[in-house]
C-alpha cells in the first residue's frame, strides 16, 4: 500500500465509513508500523467537512509540515483520519489552489455547481435522483410556494431526517434529562418561513418581506445546514464507534505510544466523541486539540446556564484524557459566528430567528459554537491568548481555551476564517498541549 505524498514521515491514513467501520487493512498496517518504527508520540488529525481525500490529505500535510522542526528529537508518527464528509464548494480554504480547494463552482448556470453536486452524490450514495431533483429546483427557482415546500421535503429525504418527539438543538449537543436527541425542527417546519429567516440574516437587511427569488437564496442555505446536520451526526458516529475503538486497539498493541488527537470543524466533534468510545482503562490519549470546533460550546458542560436539567452530551469526557483538552477559537470564523448559531436557534424553535438575531448582531449564548468563543460553562477552564499560550506552560489537565484570532483571521464568505488553520503557531499549541519535545 503506497503512502500518500505528504510533508512528514512516517505518515498513515486511516479511513472510516459513515457507520464508523474502519478500513481493516489500513488499521492493521498502522498498528504494526507504529510498533516497528518505535513511534513515541502519534499525532492523529481528523478533518472537517472537506469532501474528498485529496483536499483532506493536503490540509494534513500543510498543518504537519512545521512539526518536525518544532520537536526535532521527538519520535513522531502522523495519522490522517479520513471519513465521508461534505464541504460546499463555495467555501474556500486559505492558501489552497482553486483546483484543490474547489472554490466557487465554474458552472454558474447552477446554484450548486458541478463540484458540490458531485460531493452530494459522493457523501449520500444511492440518492442520485434526490440530488438531481434538488439541483433542478435550485436552478429553476419556480415562482410558487408549493415548489419550495417540495424542496424542503426532498432535503429531509436526502439527509434521512426523522422527527422523534421533543426537539433537541441541531448544534447544541446538549441533553435534557430524559429527552432523547432528535432531528432538527428546522427541517419539519414551514419551509418558506425557514428560508426567509436564512435569507434575511445572510443578506444583512431587516426587511419584513421576501419574494420567492430571495427565498431560494435561503433554500440554498437550508440545504447547506441540513447537510451539515447530517455530517454532524456522522462525525459523532465515526468518533465513538470508529476512532475511539481504534485508539483502544492501538493502546493494546503499543501501550507506550502517546496519542494526541486533533480535530478541525466537525473533526473536532469526531475526536471528542472518540473519547466516549475509548475502552475502559485506556489512558493513552495525552491531549486533544480542537481547531475551530463546529459543535456547541456547552458540549462538555455539567450543567447549562439556561437549563439546569440539561448537560452537554460530552459532560465529563475530557477526564478520559491524560492531559488537557485545548480549544482554539476565533471570532473571525463567520461559519461558526453567524450561520451556525442561526441554524441552531432555528433547529429547536419555530419563532422568528431574525428578531432575536438583529442586523450585525449575535444570537444568544445558548446557540454558540466552540470554535467561535471556546469551551463554556465548564468550571476551572483556563483561558489564554495565542501569544500567552505559546510562552506559558499549559495546564496538565482540564479544559483550556486559546483565542487564536491573531492567526485564524483570513477567508471569504460564507465561512470566513473557518478553514484558516494551517499555522506554525497552532502546531506549537498541539505540541505544548501534549508535552511533546
Amino acid at each position: 500500500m503506497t503512502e500518500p505524498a505528504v510533508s512528514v514521515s512516517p505518515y498513515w491514513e486511516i479511513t472510516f465509513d459513515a457507520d464508523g467501520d474502519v478500513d481493516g487493512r489500513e488499521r492493521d498496517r498502522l498498528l504494526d508500523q507504529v510498533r516497528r518504527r518505535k513511534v513515541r508520540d502519534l499525532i492523529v488529525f481528523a478533518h472537517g467537512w472537506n469532501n474528498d481525500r485529496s483536499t483532506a490529505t493536503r490540509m494534513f500535510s500543510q498543518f504537519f509540515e512545521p512539526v518536525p522542526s518544532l520537536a526535532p528529537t521527538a519520535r513522531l508518527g502522523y495519522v490522517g483520519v479520513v471519513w465521508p464528509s461534505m464541504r460546499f464548494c463555495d467555501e474556500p480554504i486559505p492558501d489552497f489552489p482553486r483546483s484543490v480547494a474547489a472554490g466557487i463552482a465554474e458552472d454558474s448556470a447552477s446554484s450548486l455547481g458541478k463540484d458540490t453536486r458531485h460531493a452530494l452524490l459522493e457523501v449520500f450514495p444511492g440518492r442520485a435522483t434526490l440530488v438531481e431533483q434538488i439541483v433542478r429546483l435550485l436552478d429553476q427557482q419556480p415562482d410558487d410556494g408549493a415548489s419550495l415546500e417540495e424542496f424542503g421535503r426532498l432535503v429531509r429525504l436526502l439527509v434521512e431526517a426523522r422527527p422523534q418527539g421533543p426537539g433537541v438543538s441541531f448544534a447544541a449537543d446538549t441533553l435534557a434529562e430524559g429527552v432523547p436527541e432528535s432531528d432538527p425542527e428546522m427541517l419539519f417546519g414551514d419551509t418558506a418561513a425557514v428560508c426567509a429567516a436564512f435569507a434575511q440574516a445572510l443578506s444583512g437587511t431587516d426587511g419584513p418581506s421576501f419574494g420567492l427569488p430571495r427565498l431560494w437564496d435561503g433554500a440554498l442555505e437550508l440545504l447547506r445546514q441540513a447537510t451539515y446536520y447530517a455530517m454532524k451526526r456522522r462525525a459523532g458516529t465515526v468518533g465513538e464507534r470508529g476512532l475511539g475503538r481504534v485508539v483502544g486497539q492501538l493502546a493494546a498493541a503499543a501501550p507506550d505510544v502517546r496519542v494526541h488527537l486533533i480535530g478541525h470543524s466537525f473533526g473536532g466533534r469526531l475526536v471528542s466523541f472518540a473519547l466516549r468510545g475509548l475502552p475502559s482503562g485506556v489512558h493513552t490519549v495525552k491531549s486533544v486539540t480542537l481547531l475551530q470546533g463546529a459543535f456547541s460550546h456547552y458540549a462538555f458542560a455539567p450543567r447549562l446556564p439556561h437549563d439546569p436539567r440539561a448537560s452537554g452530551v460530552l459532560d465529563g469526557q475530557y477526564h478520559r484524557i491524560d492531559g488537557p483538552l485545548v480549544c482554539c477559537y476565533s471570532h473571525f470564523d463567520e461559519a461558526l459566528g453567524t450561520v451556525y448559531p442561526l441554524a441552531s436557534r432555528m433547529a429547536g424553535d419555530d419563532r422568528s430567528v431574525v428578531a432575536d438575531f438583529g442586523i450585525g448582531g449575535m444570537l444568544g449564548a445558548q446557540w454558540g459554537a466552540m470554535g467561535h468563543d471556546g469551551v463554556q460553562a465548564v468550571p476551572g477552564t483556563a483561558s489564554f491568548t495565542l501569544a500567552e499560550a505559546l510562552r506559558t506552560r499549559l495546564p496538565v489537565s482540564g479544559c483550556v481555551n486559546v483565542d487564536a484570532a491573531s492567526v485564524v483571521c483570513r477567508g471569504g464568505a460564507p465561512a470566513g476564517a473557518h478553514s484558516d488553520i494551517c499555522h506554525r503557531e497552532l502546531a506549537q499549541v498541539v505540541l505544548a498541549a501534549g508535552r511533546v519535545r
Side-chain angles (χ1 to χ4, degrees):
M1 190 180 301
T2 304
E3 293 184 9
V6 294
S7 60
V8 291
S9 181
Y11 171 83
W12 303 274
E13 283 184 355
I14 187 165
T15 306
F16 297 90
D17 67 16
D19 297 319
D21 293 326
V22 67
D23 182 307
R25 292 181 304 164
E26 292 179 344
R27 176 202 57 206
D28 293 345
R29 181 169 181 265
L30 171 66
L31 299 182
D32 176 67
Q33 289 288 314
V34 164
R35 289 195 308 267
R36 290 177 180 272
R37 300 210 183 197
K38 300 187 186 320
V39 170
R40 174 61 173 163
D41 288 278
L42 188 68
I43 304 177
V44 181
F45 195 156
H47 64 78
W49 50 58
N50 301 295
N51 58 275
D52 60 46
R53 181 184 291 268
S54 63
T55 304
T57 298
R58 185 180 178 92
M59 181 170 282
F60 298 149
S61 180
Q62 190 167 326
F63 186 87
F64 287 146
E65 186 172 6
V67 172
S69 65
L70 293 170
T73 62
R75 302 200 309 272
L76 297 170
Y78 307 84
V79 175
V81 173
V82 178
W83 57 287
S85 62
M86 170 76 199
R87 180 178 60 83
F88 271 62
C89 296
D90 59 352
E91 298 177 7
I93 300 175
D95 297 329
F96 274 41
R98 182 184 181 91
S99 61
V100 175
I104 298 174
E106 296 177 359
D107 53 340
S108 58
S110 170
S111 297
L112 283 181
K114 62 182 180 180
D115 291 324
T116 301
R117 286 204 309 274
H118 176 72
L120 286 170
L121 293 170
E122 288 290 317
V123 300
F124 297 112
R127 299 190 182 93
T129 300
L130 281 174
V131 170
E132 292 309 315
Q133 289 175 310
I134 288 170
V135 170
R136 188 179 306 114
L137 286 172
L138 285 172
D139 284 347
Q140 297 174 353
Q141 300 187 4
D143 191 18
D144 65 90
S147 295
L148 202 64
E149 288 300 322
E150 173 65 4
F151 176 84
R153 185 186 73 85
L154 294 172
V155 170
R156 288 194 294 272
L157 290 174
L158 179 69
V159 301
E160 294 185 317
R162 300 180 181 90
Q164 301 171 4
V168 176
S169 168
F170 149 86
D173 284 310
T174 58
L175 294 176
E177 293 179 5
V179 178
E181 284 190 282
S182 66
D183 289 328
E185 291 178 12
M186 69 177 173
L187 294 177
F188 296 96
D190 184 302
T191 301
V194 171
C195 292
F198 275 130
Q200 183 172 331
L202 294 173
S203 69
T205 64
D206 54 0
S209 62
F210 294 88
L212 277 169
R214 289 286 304 282
L215 292 183
W216 282 108
D217 291 342
L220 178 60
E221 191 59 39
L222 174 60
L223 174 61
R224 187 195 309 270
Q225 294 304 323
T227 304
Y228 288 175
Y229 152 74
M231 296 305 103
K232 163 189 172 285
R233 179 178 59 189
R234 185 176 292 179
T237 298
V238 173
E240 184 169 358
R241 300 180 184 176
L243 182 59
R245 293 176 180 175
V246 169
V247 173
Q249 292 166 342
L250 177 64
D256 292 333
V257 173
R258 307 170 76 248
V259 176
H260 310 279
L261 302 179
I262 310 171
H264 169 234
S265 185
F266 279 151
R269 191 175 197 267
L270 191 157
V271 299
S272 296
F273 270 75
L275 299 174
R276 203 161 77 168
L278 287 177
S280 177
V282 171
H283 303 291
T284 55
V285 177
K286 303 301 180 182
S287 67
V288 174
T289 304
L290 308 178
L291 305 175
Q292 302 311 116
F295 59 118
S296 172
H297 55 194
Y298 292 138
F300 294 98
R303 286 291 178 266
L304 305 187
H306 56 277
D307 185 356
R309 300 174 305 135
S311 62
V313 72
L314 295 169
D315 172 25
Q317 291 299 321
Y318 61 89
H319 293 303
R320 303 295 308 274
I321 309 168
D322 187 21
L325 181 140
V326 177
C327 175
C328 296
Y329 66 93
S330 170
H331 67 272
F332 291 111
D333 189 328
E334 295 175 18
L336 300 185
T338 301
V339 177
Y340 181 94
L342 174 60
S344 303
R345 170 68 174 78
M346 293 175 72
D349 195 325
D350 59 3
R351 292 181 297 135
S352 170
V353 179
V354 180
D356 291 342
F357 188 83
I359 303 308
M362 282 295 301
L363 287 162
Q366 181 175 353
W367 312 107
M370 196 164 296
H372 188 256
D373 60 3
V375 174
Q376 301 293 317
V378 176
T381 297
S383 296
F384 302 92
T385 65
L386 181 58
E388 291 169 343
L390 295 180
R391 66 172 180 258
T392 304
R393 186 174 176 85
L394 294 179
V396 297
S397 63
C399 294
V400 180
N401 285 330
V402 176
D403 184 346
S406 60
V407 296
V408 181
C409 56
R410 299 175 302 148
H418 185 66
S419 293
D420 185 20
I421 61 166
C422 294
H423 296 281
R424 182 181 180 89
E425 294 89 344
L426 297 185
Q428 287 178 270
V429 170
V430 171
L431 297 177
R435 305 290 195 269
V436 179
R437 294 176 176 82

